[in-house]
């Protein structure tokens, strides 16, 4: 998938190419057609990207339910660094500025000043609780507190998955646990059978991955994936 070019005033002409199969984004120089960077922070297929119109930022979206913001250095315009930097040893090494950028990426811009005033860095972010959001940060909105906690939990889940070394394709998108009885739903994604059956029975009949209405409730056993998981377990349990 190709995206549009950034604003020419940025002083660098480049474009990203999304390689969904290996979950990476390749940034090319349009003048020399050489590869500048291969961005590999996403843990599932990369489906979208967008340039900021007038500043040196690139956003990439993935089926791992995260958005990575890439900042390009003004001194060397074609160099990029990820704001999470492989989740910077996963959150705990984030600076206050990293946390601010993460908040913006999650649509929590209104909390940036509050977090800065309270010196919330990665370690503090990782340890935030419902009580600390109320008592220490004085965030009164229940909806806002719930969103913050949900986003932090998503980060924890990502950390757990990456640190475990388990291939992300082997994890159920709903439970984020290793699948034992994977099935394919009508959205084309694979889920743990019990988790997907509970999802269908208790929630709106939409896809957990796309949020679109499922055209069918039929779940088909994914025997190929089940065999791959079994082989992986045999190899890593020796």
């Amino acid at each position: 998938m190709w995206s549009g070019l950034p604003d020419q005033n940025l002083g660098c002409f480049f474009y990203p190419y999304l390689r969904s199969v290996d979950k990476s984004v390749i940034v090319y120089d349009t003048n020399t057609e050489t590869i500048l960077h291969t961005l590999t922070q996403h843990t599932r297929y990369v489906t979208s990207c967008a340039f900021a119109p007038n500043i040196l930022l690139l956003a990439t979206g993935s089926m791992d339910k995260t958005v990575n913001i890439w900042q390009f250095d003004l001194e060397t315009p074609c160099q990029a660094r990820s704001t999470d930097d492989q989740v910077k040893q996963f959150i705990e090494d984030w600076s206050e500025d990293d946390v601010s950028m993460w908040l913006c990426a999650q649509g929590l811009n209104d909390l940036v000043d509050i977090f800065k005033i309270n010196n919330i860095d990665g370690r503090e972010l990782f340890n935030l609780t419902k009580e600390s959001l109320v008592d220490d940060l004085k965030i009164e909105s229940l909806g806002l507190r719930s969103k913050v906690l949900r986003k932090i939990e998503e980060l924890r889940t990502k950390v757990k998955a990456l640190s475990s070394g388990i291939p992300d394709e082997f994890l159920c998108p709903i439970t984020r646990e290793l699948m034992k009885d994977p099935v394919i739903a009508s959205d084309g994604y694979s889920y743990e059978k019990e988790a997907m059956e509970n999802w269908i029975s208790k929630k709106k009949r939409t896809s957990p991955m796309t949020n679109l209405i499922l055209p069918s409730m039929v779940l088909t056993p994914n025997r190929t994936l089940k065999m791959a998981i079994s082989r992986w377990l045999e190899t890593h349990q020796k």
Side-chain angles (χ1 to χ4, degrees):
M1 181 185 297
W2 301 87
S3 84
L5 292 172
D7 194 298
Q8 295 184 6
N9 294 327
L10 298 182
C12 179
F13 298 86
F14 51 83
Y15 55 82
Y17 177 65
L18 310 187
R19 299 200 306 184
S20 289
V21 175
D22 64 2
K23 310 153 198 163
S24 68
V25 179
I26 301 177
V27 180
Y28 288 89
D29 186 315
T30 58
N31 293 320
T32 63
E33 297 186 0
T34 57
I35 295 176
L36 299 174
H37 292 281
T38 301
L39 314 177
T40 58
Q41 272 66 23
H42 287 295
T43 60
R44 291 189 68 83
Y45 302 148
V46 181
T47 56
S48 60
C49 69
F51 284 103
N54 298 307
I55 56 176
L56 299 168
L57 290 176
L58 167 68
T60 57
S62 165
M63 289 180 181
D64 61 13
K65 301 182 181 179
T66 65
V67 174
N68 284 342
I69 309 297
W70 305 86
Q71 182 172 7
F72 293 83
D73 195 319
L74 287 171
E75 283 70 31
T76 52
C78 288
Q79 288 193 342
R81 58 185 176 84
S82 167
T83 56
D84 67 2
D85 189 25
Q86 289 280 22
V87 200
K88 294 274 282 264
Q89 287 305 307
F90 306 158
I91 308 171
E92 292 191 354
D93 291 339
W94 279 1
S95 67
E96 293 177 23
D97 288 337
D98 289 327
V99 171
S100 295
M101 294 182 73
W102 175 79
L103 287 170
C104 292
Q106 308 307 315
L108 296 166
N109 308 57
D110 294 342
L111 296 180
V112 169
D113 289 340
I114 295 175
F115 275 56
K116 277 187 171 293
I117 291 172
N118 288 275
N119 305 116
I120 303 297
D121 58 13
R123 188 175 297 276
E124 293 291 334
L125 175 70
F126 199 76
N127 292 311
L128 285 177
T129 64
K130 178 173 63 176
E131 290 73 22
S132 60
L133 290 176
V134 175
D135 299 335
D136 300 330
L137 273 61
K138 310 297 182 186
I139 299 176
E140 297 180 358
S141 169
L142 176 60
L144 206 51
R145 293 198 304 270
S146 298
K147 184 174 182 179
V148 171
L149 293 173
R150 185 170 67 252
K151 293 298 182 181
I152 292 174
E153 186 56 36
E154 288 176 6
L155 277 179
R156 291 194 182 108
T157 299
K158 184 175 181 180
V159 169
K160 183 179 179 181
L162 291 177
S163 61
S164 69
I166 300 174
D168 199 67
E169 290 79 2
F170 295 173
L171 300 176
C172 173
I174 298 174
T175 65
R176 299 301 296 170
E177 296 178 354
L178 186 67
M179 288 184 278
K180 298 178 181 178
D181 190 10
V183 294
I184 304 173
S186 57
D187 60 359
Y189 293 97
S190 293
Y191 306 91
E192 177 62 33
K193 182 179 179 181
E194 183 179 357
M196 192 57 187
E197 288 176 341
N198 289 337
W199 176 277
I200 292 173
S201 66
K202 296 180 180 179
K203 300 186 182 275
K204 295 179 181 179
R205 297 193 170 186
T206 55
S207 164
M209 293 296 289
T210 67
N211 206 34
L212 299 176
I213 298 296
L214 290 167
S216 169
M217 299 300 114
V218 174
L219 301 176
T220 305
N222 191 338
R223 295 186 176 87
T224 301
L225 180 58
K226 188 172 183 176
M227 288 175 61
I229 293 172
S230 296
R231 287 195 296 268
W232 184 87
L233 284 172
E234 289 174 4
T235 301
H236 287 77
Q237 288 177 351
K238 289 181 180 179

